[in-house]
Amino acid sequence: MRRTDPQGHGPVRFGPAVPEDGLPVLPELAAVIAAAATRAEAEPVGGGAALLDAACGHAERRGLPATADRVAVAPGAPALLVALTAAVGGDVLVPKPCAAWWVPYAHLLGRPAYHVPTPAESGGVPDPYALLETVRRVREEGGDPRLLVLSVADDPTATVAPPELLHATLEAAVGEGLHLVSDETWRDTLHAPRDTVVLSPAEMLSDRVTVVSDLAGTLLPPGWPAAVARFPAGGSGAALRARVLDVLTALDASVAAPVAVAAGYALSEPEPVTARAAAATRLHARVAAAAHAALVDAGALVLPPQAGRHLYADLTSLGPGLAARGVGDAQELEDFLSTRLGMPAPGGHRFGDDLEAPRVRLSTAPLLGDTPGERAECLDAPDPLVLPQVRRALHRLTSVLDDLRDDARRWETPR
């Protein structure tokens, strides 16, 4: 982060973007938003009746019953998280690592945010014992932990937390009186949906969990910001929703009217939208698997990606090769790989990880090509890995990693 200061970049402005799909806008979605372009009236804060009805149907199809008085729509998940953090109050707990955009909003409101370690096998959900210890320590130091933000299908690690871990963590959180925000942006991007169990915390705790889902995960282009929050049942959920709507109103955080129409269409999940989402997920899963193989072959430690459009790699084993190139921490690793790969490669410190640890998140969209046409070609190809643009990108990744591995081996102590 320190290298960004002379360039005038603050940590939020310079933070990594959410992994995009990199694909052209779905024609049916473009037609819907174009038809709504003449709509002059503003969308109500929190969403109008048609949009809320579509959001309820979307949640119900995922086993999360909802009514219009339990959901709200805002221009992106960040607006919802700001409002929720302000409404719940107190200190914030997040996994280590976590999505890069979670912590800045707590700091923006003057709230401390504490990172809780995750188990080795997955990210997004804190280890329950580490959570209890963190809450105890924060309270002993005079803090007031009230809010836990987590994600079962995770950015940055691209893993899916197992139900048994989620259950234990939720028990610990409830015992400490925490409210939970479950970021479920990536739950519909499972790489192997028949082999991966994704369970929402709201299915276990209907009265303590607010679910947030950014539609940029699967349904809308990132330039059309819209996100949905589903609040807990009962009076406490209604009161929380009311406070969130107050904050959104104060911020004038309403969804642009044409985007609201497009979001309602996408949330109703017509065949063109579901077909595109499924095809995009298959494409990114295939490319992520190839990138994972390249990283593992080079000796990197990286969990198999299970969701999303990204991977999270630990390059500790390549330390000698990195050191030979002047790379000694995550910021230097980010600078080095971003230049060598020709794509953003944010270091783990962007996600709350240790600056000293050589960890990095790599997104798959830049591996699909440099132009919209090349990326669209990937979407339609029976095997995207044989396309020239994908082969070039993967070869570039493999070459950089092989150079680091070879240097690391040369510096190994002879046995």
Side-chain angles (χ1 to χ4, degrees), residues 41 55-56 94 120 124 128 132 162 196 253 257 317-318 339 351 414-415:
E41 68 275 14
C56 290
V94 296
L132 291 172
T196 309
S317 65
L318 304 178
T339 299
F351 309 99
R415 297 184 180 180

Side-chain angles (χ1 to χ4, degrees), residues 250-267:
L251 297 174
D252 193 22
S254 60
V255 180
V259 173
V261 176
Y265 171 78
L267 284 165

Side-chain angles (χ1 to χ4, degrees), residues 81-404:
L81 188 56
V82 168
L84 282 162
T85 305
V88 172
D91 302 343
V92 180
L93 302 167
V94 296
K96 180 182 179 179
C98 71
W101 57 273
W102 289 358
V103 171
Y105 296 103
H107 292 169
L108 182 68
L109 295 168
R111 305 285 168 74
Y114 299 93
H115 288 273
V116 185
T118 54
E121 64 270 17
S122 64
V125 175
D127 176 87
Y129 299 104
L131 177 62
L132 291 172
E133 175 59 22
T134 302
V135 170
R136 181 195 64 78
R137 175 175 54 81
V138 171
R139 286 178 175 155
E140 283 185 352
E141 295 173 355
D144 182 23
R146 296 189 199 175
L147 183 65
L148 171 62
V149 187
L150 49 74
S151 57
V152 178
D154 184 46
D155 170 24
T157 66
T159 59
V160 176
E164 56 270 19
L165 168 66
L166 181 62
H167 184 268
T169 299
L170 294 187
E171 280 193 335
V174 170
E176 297 299 331
L178 303 177
H179 185 81
L180 289 89
V181 171
S182 176
D183 180 358
E184 301 188 5
T185 297
W186 303 106
R187 69 167 291 162
D188 290 338
T189 63
L190 298 182
H191 295 183
R194 295 183 180 180
D195 301 324
T196 309
V197 177
V198 60
L199 189 64
S200 171
E203 296 179 64
M204 297 181 178
L205 292 175
S206 62
D207 62 338
R208 300 297 292 270
V209 178
T210 299
V211 174
V212 172
S213 182
D214 198 303
L215 303 193
T218 54
L219 298 179
L220 290 182
W224 304 1
V228 177
R230 174 192 179 271
F231 295 89
S236 61
L240 177 60
R241 180 179 183 269
R243 293 196 297 273
V244 165
L245 289 178
D246 284 343
V247 176
L248 293 176
T249 301
L251 297 174
D252 193 22
S254 60
V255 180
V259 173
V261 176
Y265 171 78
L267 284 165
S268 67
E269 298 185 291
E271 193 277 335
V273 171
T274 57
R276 162 59 77 86
T281 296
R282 288 193 300 269
L283 168 61
H284 285 280
R286 188 75 185 277
V287 175
H292 175 262
L295 287 159
V296 171
D297 287 346
L301 178 62
V302 51
L303 293 171
Q306 297 175 287
R309 309 161 189 147
H310 50 283
L311 310 93
Y312 195 65
D314 186 328
L315 306 186
T316 299
S317 65
L318 304 178
L322 291 169
R325 290 161 174 80
V327 176
D329 61 26
Q331 177 63 64
E332 291 168 345
L333 177 62
E334 174 182 307
D335 296 340
F336 171 75
L337 287 181
S338 296
T339 299
R340 290 294 302 276
L341 297 176
M343 58 183 274
H349 61 302
R350 306 289 185 188
F351 309 99
D353 229 330
D354 299 326
L355 177 64
E356 297 76 16
R359 299 186 183 118
V360 64
R361 187 192 72 185
L362 298 175
S363 297
T364 49
L367 303 176
L368 304 180
D370 298 326
T371 67
E374 287 183 340
R375 295 180 178 185
E377 183 183 13
C378 295
L379 190 64
D380 299 328
D383 184 2
L385 301 185
V386 304
L387 294 175
Q389 64 270 31
V390 179
R391 291 174 61 188
R392 284 195 303 268
L394 290 173
H395 176 71
R396 186 163 54 245
L397 173 63
T398 301
S399 297
V400 171
L401 293 171
D402 285 348
D403 288 346
L404 293 173

